[in-house]
Amino acid sequence: MQQVDNELLSRACAGEESAVAALIARMMPLIRKGAACTTAPGLDFEDAVQEGLIGLFNAMRSYDAAKKTPFTAYASSCIANAQQDARRRATRKKHAPLNDSVPLPEDSAAPGPEELAIAGERYADVLERIDTVLSPFERSALLAGLEGQSAAQTAQSLGCTKKSVENALARARKKLRGGE
């Protein structure tokens, strides 16, 4: 790790972006080393690096050159303390349910209000099409099939042949797909 000179530090504290970037670049090996040592359940490497950067910015804000401590040593201490504090916060027992839980798969997420509204509209459109496009016989055959009845069972309950029920279902599918 390179030493930080007072001129770079004063420019970084004044908000000069190039000086802040140079300061971060000089301190990043220390930040990354500390992050590797402080990872824990609930605190991954990237989060620990972010905590180290916060510690560096706090060191920039609170450094007092009059105390004759080199900035590098002071910043190292601030970075290590910030990362250790983050580790302590992450490993508290109150966070155990979050740290020990298993994430849900992305595809099992419950639909949001928009998806529910769109699905409701589609459902209403399908019901309207069933009522307006299908004949009464086709509608009866389709609804019986949707209830889980086989073509033979539907034919028996409607008093017709199995073949006529199968034909009615084929016509209903074709009409509902839009190929009337």
Side-chain angles (χ1 to χ4, degrees):
M1 177 179 56
Q2 301 174 0
Q3 292 295 322
V4 176
D5 62 345
N6 288 336
E7 190 231 326
L8 176 65
L9 179 60
S10 63
R11 287 187 1 238
C13 289
E16 186 179 316
E17 288 184 30
S18 62
V20 172
L23 184 63
I24 289 173
R26 288 189 184 167
M27 299 300 288
M28 190 53 77
L30 176 74
I31 292 171
R32 294 176 75 73
K33 183 179 178 184
C37 296
T38 56
T39 58
L43 181 69
D44 61 6
F45 180 78
E46 291 83 16
D47 291 338
V49 168
Q50 291 296 319
E51 292 293 335
L53 287 170
I54 291 169
L56 176 60
F57 289 128
N58 287 336
M60 287 171 43
R61 192 181 71 237
S62 63
Y63 178 67
D64 184 8
K67 293 187 178 179
K68 304 289 186 197
T69 304
F71 176 76
T72 307
Y74 180 72
S76 299
S77 177
C78 290
I79 291 167
N81 288 340
Q83 290 172 330
Q84 287 299 324
D85 287 346
R87 180 184 171 92
R88 274 188 233 103
R89 283 191 308 269
T91 57
R92 286 184 185 148
K93 290 186 184 198
K94 72 178 187 177
H95 297 300
L98 293 174
N99 294 340
D100 298 336
S101 65
V102 177
L104 294 173
E106 291 294 322
D107 59 339
S108 70
E114 288 180 1
E115 289 91 9
L116 290 174
I118 291 170
E121 289 176 8
R122 287 183 182 158
Y123 180 72
D125 289 344
V126 169
L127 288 178
E128 183 180 335
R129 284 188 58 122
I130 288 173
D131 287 339
T132 58
V133 174
L134 301 182
S135 70
F137 182 68
E138 292 167 342
R139 190 177 317 114
S140 298
L142 178 67
L143 293 176
L146 291 174
E147 290 175 359
Q149 290 185 11
S150 67
Q153 292 170 330
T154 304
Q156 186 177 3
S157 66
L158 294 177
C160 60
T161 65
K162 177 182 170 189
K163 184 66 177 171
S164 62
V165 170
E166 290 170 348
N167 288 340
L169 287 173
R171 285 191 310 271
R173 284 188 210 106
K174 184 177 178 182
K175 287 179 180 180
L176 291 175
R177 279 191 205 118
E180 216 174 319

